[in-house]
Amino acid sequence: MCMMSILQESLQIILRMYNQLMRHALCIIALLISSNIASSNSYYQDAISHFQNNNFEKTIQFLEKDIVFNPKSSDSYILLGKSYNELSDLEKSYKYFNIAFTLNPENIELNFLLGKKSYELGFIEKYGEYISNLETLCSGSCEEINNLKDLASD
């Protein structure tokens, strides 16, 4: 009987310690998550600042860090595409615009950018698809459709 009560007390002590450890672990995890979110926001904001200052290499570095923490950020991929475009790397620009498109296919600006890149790279069928997308997204008419169509008339 005495042995049984010692085992029960020991078990209760172990359970209390376990519960305390779990509470501490959850607090640590919450802190880590919040610091990662803050880091991600900071990376993206730094990237925007460098982009506005025409420092595209630095923009790319910050966006690559941002994507580690926020891999589903279509805005980060769009800015990567714009940065590579400014560095005249059309293939990488097109690649990152396409990644953003998989995340946010209804983005009007992105459909325009992909249509423009498709035209510049000679992907005429894709160019037509983005015009069609814009006609649907814009309910028939918007500035992006007109600007995209103007590329073929130049």
Side-chain angles (χ1 to χ4, degrees):
M1 181 98 154
C2 184
M3 185 66 136
M4 186 62 113
S5 91
I6 291 173
L7 284 173
Q8 287 176 336
E9 284 183 43
S10 296
L11 183 58
Q12 287 177 354
I13 291 170
I14 290 170
L15 285 174
R16 277 195 302 264
M17 290 175 64
Y18 173 79
N19 287 334
Q20 287 177 347
L21 284 171
M22 290 306 291
R23 280 194 297 270
H24 285 82
L26 289 174
C27 288
I28 291 169
I29 290 169
L31 285 171
L32 289 172
I33 290 171
S34 66
S35 71
N36 282 345
I37 291 170
S39 294
S40 176
N41 289 340
S42 174
Y43 291 137
Y44 186 73
Q45 293 305 316
D46 288 343
I48 289 173
S49 175
H50 285 289
F51 186 84
Q52 291 169 342
N53 290 321
N54 298 323
N55 190 345
F56 305 113
E57 291 87 0
K58 279 282 191 192
T59 302
I60 291 167
Q61 289 174 0
F62 281 105
L63 289 170
E64 287 172 345
K65 291 177 184 178
D66 179 63
I67 286 170
V68 169
F69 295 106
N70 195 8
K72 293 185 179 182
S73 169
S74 62
D75 291 336
S76 294
Y77 289 108
I78 291 170
L79 195 54
L80 265 170
K82 288 178 178 181
S83 298
Y84 278 111
N85 184 63
E86 291 295 330
L87 294 172
S88 300
D89 191 335
L90 298 182
E91 287 81 16
K92 280 190 178 178
S93 175
Y94 187 72
K95 170 188 164 183
Y96 286 111
F97 288 151
N98 269 307
I99 293 170
F101 184 77
T102 63
L103 297 169
N104 191 2
E106 296 181 0
N107 182 307
I108 292 173
E109 177 193 23
L110 184 56
N111 275 274
F112 168 75
L113 293 168
L114 273 165
K116 183 178 177 188
K117 281 294 143 249
S118 297
Y119 184 81
E120 291 170 353
L121 292 168
F123 305 148
I124 302 307
E125 190 173 311
K126 289 298 244 178
Y127 165 74
E129 288 177 24
Y130 294 114
I131 289 175
S132 178
N133 289 352
L134 285 170
E135 288 171 340
T136 301
L137 292 170
C138 297
S139 300
S141 181
C142 64
E143 183 179 335
E144 288 82 0
I145 294 172
N146 297 332
N147 290 341
L148 203 52
K149 287 180 177 178
D150 286 347
L151 293 175
S153 64
D154 289 342

